[in-house]
Amino acid sequence: MDMKKIIYVFALSLLGIFSCDDDAFLRETPDDFLTVDNSFLNAAQFRAGLNHFYAIARQNYNFRDNPDDFFQFGSGTDLFFRPTGDQLPFTDWSYINPTTDIYRVVFGRHWGLLYNVNLLLEQTENPLVRWNSETEKLEAQAEARFFRGYVYRYLGFMFGGVPVLEKAVAEPSLGYTRNTRQEVYEFAAKDLEFAANNLPTSVSEPGRVVKAAAYHYLAEMYIALGDESKNKAYYQKAIDAASMIIDQKVGEYHLMTQRHGWRKNIAGKDAFWDLFQMRSTSGFSNFSYQTGNKESIWVIQVDKFLTGGLNDGLTTRTDQERVFWPSFWSFQKFGWGNVARDWTGRGIGWLRPTNYFSYDLWNKSGAGDMRNSETNINRIFRSPDPIINGVEVPNYDITYTTTVTLANGTTIEVKTKPGDIIKKEWLTTRQDTMERAFPRIMKLGSDWHYAQEPANGFVMEFYAIRMAETYLIRAEAYMKNGDNTKAAADINVVRARSSAIPVLPAQVNIDYILDERARELVGEEFRTMTLCRLGLLYDRTKRFGYGPSSLTVLPKNNLCPIPQSVIDANSQAVFEQNPGW
Amino acid sequence: MKKSKWLNAGNFIFRSPGEIVLKMKLTSLLIFAGIIQAIALNGYSQSTKLTMEFRNISVVDALRAIEDQSEYYFVYNKDAIDLERKVNLNAKDLSVEEILKNLFKETNVSYRMVDRHIILSTLQAEQFTLKVTGKVTDSSGAPLPGVTVVVKGTSNGIITNVDGSYLLSNVPSDAILVFSFVGMKSQEIKTEGKTLVNVTLEEETIGIEEVVAIGYGVARKKDLTGAVASVRLEDSPREVLPNVNVLDALKGQMPGFDVGASTNAGGNPSINIRGQNSIKASNTPLVVVDGVVYVGSFNELNPSDIASVDVLKDASSAAVYGSRAANGVILVTTKRGKTSKPTVRLRATGGIQTYTNRPDMLDPEGYIQIKKDVKSLNGGSAADLELQNLLTIYEYNAYNAGNIIDWFDEVTRIAPIQDYQLSISGNGEKLNYYVSGQLLDQEGVVYGDQFEKYSVNSKIESTITDWLKLTVNLSAISKNADGVAADLRNATINAPYSWKYVQTPGFENVMERYPQGQTTTQNPFWRTQQYNEDRNQNYRSLFSARVDAPWVKGLSYTFNYSLNRWEGHSANFYDERYYMDTMKEADLKDQTKFLKDANGNVSNSYRTDWFLNHLINFNRVIKDHSIGVTLLAERQKQLTRSSTVTAKDFSLAGTTVLGVNALEKGKVENRGVDTGYSQLTQLAYMARINYVFKQRYHLSSSIRYDGYSGFAEGNKYGSFFSVAGAWTMSEESFAKDNLPFLDYLKVRASYGENGNPSIGQYSTFPSIGSGSYIFGNSTVSTTSASKLANKALKWEKTGALNFGADFSIFRDLFSGNIEYYNSNTTNLLFDRAIPIMNGFSNVSDNIGKVNNWGIEFQLNSKNIKTPDFTWSSGINFWMNRNKVVSLYGLDGNNDGIEDDDISSNIFIGKSLGAIYTYTFDGIIQMDDAEYMAIYGGNPGDVRFKDINRDGKITAAGDRSIVGYSKPNFTMTLSNTLTYRNMELYFLFNWIAGSGENGYYTGDNLYANNPSTLYGGGVANWLDKEYWMPDHPSNKIPRPNWTNSLGYQFPSRRDFVRLQDVSFSYIFPKHILGGTPVENMKVFLAAKNLLTFSKWDGYDPETGSQHAADTFPVMKSVIVGVDISF
């Protein structure tokens, strides 16, 4: 007995144990998800990849339920501020710094988008792809490059020069350096030119980008290039690009001067008001080119009831009304009882228009402007009808009694009936004037709500590009090109629709254009981005901003800070911070 | 049969080495030691001389006196021998035999020595006798040779042979057999006329004689070469503590083994062994239950079914588990039957639980004041400060009505817990069985938190033939954690002036959703109304067969196969009422408009795991050499399948009365389906060799080869080795001669390497995720890259060195061990931060190196030991120091020092868990004009130190490491006191922080910044002084401060806690006499009774802040009874 026997038994048992195929046992195949290798092989798959870009762009409009997230609509600038205290971020610019989270969010969002755009572009050249036609492939590339232009437009305008990346990152780098702002603009312009040439003129799906959208951004980008390079030739290119739209070479675009849409028969309203009506319960959109709104160039799609209709994580509503509208419904006086009604919406006044917007802007441009009518900017607040048994009862005879401490300290009893105007002198608390009763920009909300539910029943589309802006872009290009007459003519097309008195060529300057943009595009355009593009955020805020904003804004605010996390992570090269931060 | 050889033996053992092959490695060592002792004792009985003098004492006391002075103990039948007879004992240098001869002269008592036993018996007439045979095995089923088997009260005895079997003649039909063996508990079995009596002996648990699990086998603690910490739960005072989870029972027991705190019903505390090796990969140890890798949750194990837990702390012991052992291994051994008579044991406990700490909020007046303060700081006018303008309508009405609510009291409760356990076990001739059932019903401290568990567990071992043994374990567990708990965040911050129920007439029974009349703070109970199911069932099985090769002695083959099935079921439903706004009368009256929002989901997942291994063991003793070899092949597979269905919008159905059971009533377009499938496979081969020379020099080594499916091709395999040695110094003659106080001393050294698979399955694929968007009225799908893939991902490897010593001095008065370890983990899996320009802000990579070293110390003392009173203590101390040695190896700024990864909060040369932030420098006061001129800000803001003195407070220049989340050290102190039938046990736990490095620091924003969570503006805050112009605090900023730098207010969280207290009373036998009850114990026990800490939050140990939506740590008190018959 003996080692021999033992070894024999061992060997035998080992044989039994080792005989299976280890490699086959450990092989791994992705069974319930797709990978890059099988995700881009036909047009339908590319379509899904392209759709993602739209979903990301939508996040710029409505992402997290946080007041800072709406900074790009102009928080802390000449148009808006956060009103609940004077020492809040943006209202007080000294509370803004490179760790302010929203910069990380928006900066990161666009680089994430860029990665997917570049990945998809790369895959369009994969020989395994079954394209139906060369046009199909070119259109897919054009749509992708539109979004690459969109990314660099956003980053270049907001943050200045950033790295220009033409390919999806294969090997991650920690050593990025910044290209110049001009290089970024040139790169974006190239993409937008390709998109303008190869996108379809029209599409059946509302919300998909078309040639006109590319030309619009291209015009704006040429202006930025002209400003940055001091090469005036770009202004003419800008004029030409905008003219493609205005001259109807890429679609039947025109301003909507007549009543239109599914609520066009509602009396007392106007064509401007019709532009901003929520989608009907049956799904009719006033925002769509496809349903007859020829002013509409690119619309961010939302819907309360469709899967994919709202951003992930914010599944009940969009936020325009909540952010921009005052919370007059939450008065606890003059008959109001802190209950939002279907027709009041449920604003909470996260952003309040500055006095410059509310008053000076309109005084400067003369009376009779439809956009400043009570229909479009509600400035009069009244005692409401009572709610009895949960229902608002009209024509009910009731008198509300409110004790009011006037500014001079005296106390009076105010008696009002439904419909009576609430007088300004009765609104003596800071909360009254800052949060509850300020001019209500009607296009940013709705007088009716899905399921009569004022909070979560509000879901409204966003214009990313509306033709009125195309005119103002071209006006800016004409002005910068030295042709104030044509600039004034373009501005007056926009003003004429609102029955505003025409501007004279001599009055046209960048301030006038910015004022006009505010009158026309408030709450639609990314005001902060426009001001950063022009390098005027500091100047305009200093002159027209809310007191604390005006006192704290600094020239460095003309660009957003590079997020600190980017500088920290880019350890193998210095990623320059913007000046002054 | 070879019994006669053994019986006749004296020196037989070395006579024929080739034939004396011992069975299992454990057994071999046990018997080897046992026999040596037996031989030594023969000499001992001749040489030992005793001296004693007693007058008029009872026989029993005389015997005790002899036992005290010698190593003998007596075995006798107390009915047969007159123990109370008074004798005089006068011995001077007499051998025991002579003394006994003296003591029992003129009686019919004879004596006989076997091993250390002296068997006393009365000469009696030969009656009806039998031949009894049987086999003695240890708890692992290995035969035990050398066991003394004696007919109780006689000198008739024998020793088991190499197979563990014995044959005993002349056994009276009503005899009691006594089985005894060194290191094992003696057992008495009534023969009751049987001729076959098989016995399993249990290991004795005292000190170094203890037998511990070592992975793919067991070993005597004496023979260990690595650092293994063991806790025996069976029959310990910790058994009666209210430990819902077995981890609670282990907490504080083993140096180097950190167990977190339990906060919710059925909760699993966190665990960590010897510091943080991994940054991102799991730091959770591998768990092995009865030899099978455990894939379930700890709360599925019934603490009462567990006999002991062994933790393989050092790399050499863990290395047999190779790729998965980098974080240590926890081996759980469940109970077995012990006596041939079936034992029924019932344990019932009931008790209450509450929180350890609650937030101290501002009282109603304080709430009004902070609101006023915020308002005035925000520029409010005098009118703003009037109560009717300051408060919401709801608050104002509550104020006028005097309606004040303490929300924290509302949502917390004195929560009951009940636990019933029943077990039936026995150890028959061919069958050992243990069957148990448990019913646990636990409510959490927070309303809505509950946990219910039913489990059945059976373990059956049968000896089919003398070479084949089969084991079958089956268990079924059903858990239920239905329901959603109330929201403790809102319960903390909600204002005292508020309403729990709707005030609108006619709806007074409806819960108010917005108690303060605004939507920012909600009723903490609101979400408890949602329908929620959270259940799972777990079916486990283990089949094991062991074959002892009949023709090669010492060789055995074991096959283990385990099949587990886990089913998880969850369901949620939010009906239309959930969406109503109770502030609106219209909503109260009619919620049908919210049918559009009503939604639900049902999710089912199934997981099937199988695990199998083949084990070959070979053990052999040749003279002074003892060799053990283990070979292993192992495979494991896990398949998971899941499906979820969702539905939304029930307006067409018009009702949600059927709820989650009829999701098909939801709108077609809004139904969703999600299915999932995944599998994970692993395999391993392992070889281990143990070698012992002369019981003093121990060597062991292992190598393991692992495969893991989660890695990409080319990286799937890894190998891991270990080597260890130990030297029992106390066995050397120089120690015996010169250090008489030293009972035992062993020094150990080991090195081993282990892995951590670090990634889950499919992690190396560039996966594409999907979502949806719309164009017009059509939903479209979207796809996008989910991550940057890295095919190069591989194992994290930890190589660790361990030095240890085990000691026992002054006849076990003090015993314990000390360990030092130093480990390096390389190829750390890490989501390294990359600039977002890459498209993603991180990518998984294996990179860098982390070092951990630590010291562990365990000291047990038997302070007092008298027949009536004993007092023993245990002190455990452990500390760990962690250091990131390297990361990416990059030096971008060319300063010659590797770059930190600031964005991931990792610093070269510093511990993980660094808190890198600004330095708090008080509060800006009204007269700090100079500071404000330079840095901006306003009075009442936090003032930060300008560390780089550049006139700005910036993230780039003014952050530094201000502390670490890791503890400085941990220490526990336990005491066990027994007096007659009473036993008191308590344990203090101290996690120390501070030191100049700021150890054990945690972020504590809420308690230091009143504006966190709307405090003062909308919600209430803590009753603490904050900065105001008229009471300028220098610690807490003004209540409307904007924390624009995101400062988190790091604070110390060290604490001392009276963690465990138990008191038990065991009923004496004479009280139980006449009842069928054999044993009965009643007990009172408590956990977390007292906590001492400066931390201002729910609990220092969890580090959770007030107003976090988590649960507080539980304090519990229970009473219970444990009966067996």
Side-chain angles (χ1 to χ4, degrees), chain B residues 247-296:
Chain B
L247 292 172
D248 294 330
L250 304 178
K251 183 169 175 168
Q253 296 304 294
M254 296 183 272
F257 185 48
D258 297 315
V259 177
S262 284
T263 56
N264 59 323
N268 284 309
S270 63
I271 44 176
N272 190 282
I273 297 175
R274 289 191 164 181
Q276 184 184 354
N277 292 316
S278 297
I279 299 173
K280 195 223 166 198
S282 163
N283 282 288
T284 306
L286 177 73
V287 182
V288 176
V289 177
D290 287 337
V292 172
V293 171
Y294 185 75
V295 286

Side-chain angles (χ1 to χ4, degrees), chain B residues 847-1074:
Chain B
I847 205 150
K849 179 170 169 183
V850 164
N851 175 267
N852 278 281
W853 67 267
I855 291 171
E856 295 161 0
F857 179 64
Q858 183 166 39
L859 179 68
N860 299 311
S861 66
K862 293 173 178 162
N863 309 328
I864 295 177
K865 191 174 182 184
T866 71
D868 279 342
F869 180 70
T870 66
W871 171 31
S872 59
S873 318
I875 292 175
N876 291 329
F877 169 90
W878 65 100
M879 62 172 274
N880 171 272
R881 288 291 179 265
N882 175 283
K883 189 167 83 174
V884 178
V885 179
S886 68
L887 203 54
Y888 312 139
L890 296 173
D891 181 14
N893 54 5
N894 293 314
D895 61 355
I897 303 164
E898 192 183 335
D899 299 332
D900 299 327
D901 181 354
I902 295 171
S903 51
S904 305
N905 219 18
I906 295 180
F907 301 89
I908 307 296
K910 308 286 183 191
S911 173
L912 292 167
I915 296 164
Y916 183 72
T917 187
Y918 308 89
T919 301
F920 181 86
D921 192 23
I923 303 295
I924 301 177
Q925 303 299 336
M926 304 291 270
D927 53 7
D928 285 344
E930 196 185 343
Y931 182 92
M932 286 184 278
I934 300 171
Y935 301 105
N938 293 288
D941 287 5
V942 171
R943 185 185 160 125
F944 293 108
K945 270 208 177 100
D946 182 7
I947 290 185
N948 67 351
R949 294 163 186 268
D950 66 347
K952 291 188 280 192
I953 304 297
T954 59
D958 300 309
R959 289 178 296 172
S960 65
I961 297 175
V962 300
Y964 298 92
S965 60
K966 311 273 176 213
N968 193 351
F969 59 83
T970 306
M971 200 161 161
T972 65
L973 169 66
S974 63
N975 279 288
T976 311
L977 297 118
T978 60
Y979 178 70
R980 292 180 188 264
N981 291 323
M982 288 175 277
E983 183 176 62
L984 174 69
Y985 170 84
F986 58 93
L987 180 142
F988 281 98
N989 186 8
W990 174 27
I991 299 191
S994 191
E996 51 189 58
N997 289 319
Y999 288 111
Y1000 216 46
T1001 295
D1003 289 342
N1004 200 357
L1005 180 60
Y1006 184 78
N1008 291 284
N1009 181 17
S1011 65
T1012 312
L1013 297 178
Y1014 337 103
V1018 174
N1020 203 6
W1021 193 62
L1022 294 166
D1023 186 10
K1024 289 169 91 166
E1025 189 179 82
Y1026 47 84
W1027 187 94
M1028 283 300 287
D1030 56 339
H1031 46 88
S1033 166
N1034 203 32
K1035 285 183 182 153
I1036 309 280
R1038 60 188 161 93
N1040 69 334
W1041 177 59
T1042 294
N1043 188 358
S1044 60
L1045 293 171
Y1047 184 65
Q1048 294 292 314
F1049 295 87
S1051 313
R1052 284 174 62 166
R1053 59 189 187 101
D1054 40 341
F1055 69 93
V1056 174
R1057 174 127 73 200
L1058 177 56
Q1059 179 189 297
D1060 301 308
V1061 186
S1062 73
F1063 175 79
S1064 352
Y1065 178 76
I1066 298 163
F1067 283 83
K1069 298 262 190 220
H1070 63 84
I1071 291 186
L1072 299 172

Side-chain angles (χ1 to χ4, degrees), chain B residues 183 203-211 232 812 862:
Chain B
E203 296 81 8
E204 215 148 28
T205 57
I206 39 160
I208 49 176
E209 296 294 344
E210 203 174 322
V211 170
R232 186 160 187 91
D812 248 11
K862 293 173 178 162

Side-chain angles (χ1 to χ4, degrees), chain A residues 17 22-23 87 176 338 430, chain B residues 384 517 633 635 717 838 1038:
Chain A
I17 290 170
D22 287 353
D23 291 343
Q87 287 150 6
Y176 287 99
N338 195 31
R430 180 187 160 99
Chain B
D384 275 299
R635 286 192 175 203
Y717 297 95
N838 292 303
R1038 60 188 161 93

Side-chain angles (χ1 to χ4, degrees), chain A residues 71-82 90-91 93 351-357 526-529 531-532 536-538 540-547 549-550 553 557:
Chain A
F71 83 104
Q72 46 201 6
F73 290 100
S75 183
T77 68
D78 52 352
L79 299 192
F80 293 106
F81 63 100
R82 288 180 59 189
F90 297 106
T91 298
W93 285 90
L351 292 184
R352 184 198 192 282
T354 57
N355 285 347
Y356 179 76
F357 174 83
F526 290 164
R527 182 68 168 188
T528 303
M529 190 154 98
L531 293 176
C532 286
L536 292 174
L537 190 142
Y538 166 73
R540 293 279 298 188
T541 305
K542 197 83 202 157
R543 286 191 287 152
F544 308 126
Y546 174 60
S549 314
S550 157
V553 73
N557 295 117

Side-chain angles (χ1 to χ4, degrees), chain B residues 2-15:
Chain B
K2 296 129 193 151
K3 39 114 197 179
S4 56
K5 208 156 53 177
W6 287 89
L7 187 57
N8 301 335
N11 58 351
F12 65 92
I13 190 162
F14 303 125
R15 199 177 55 204

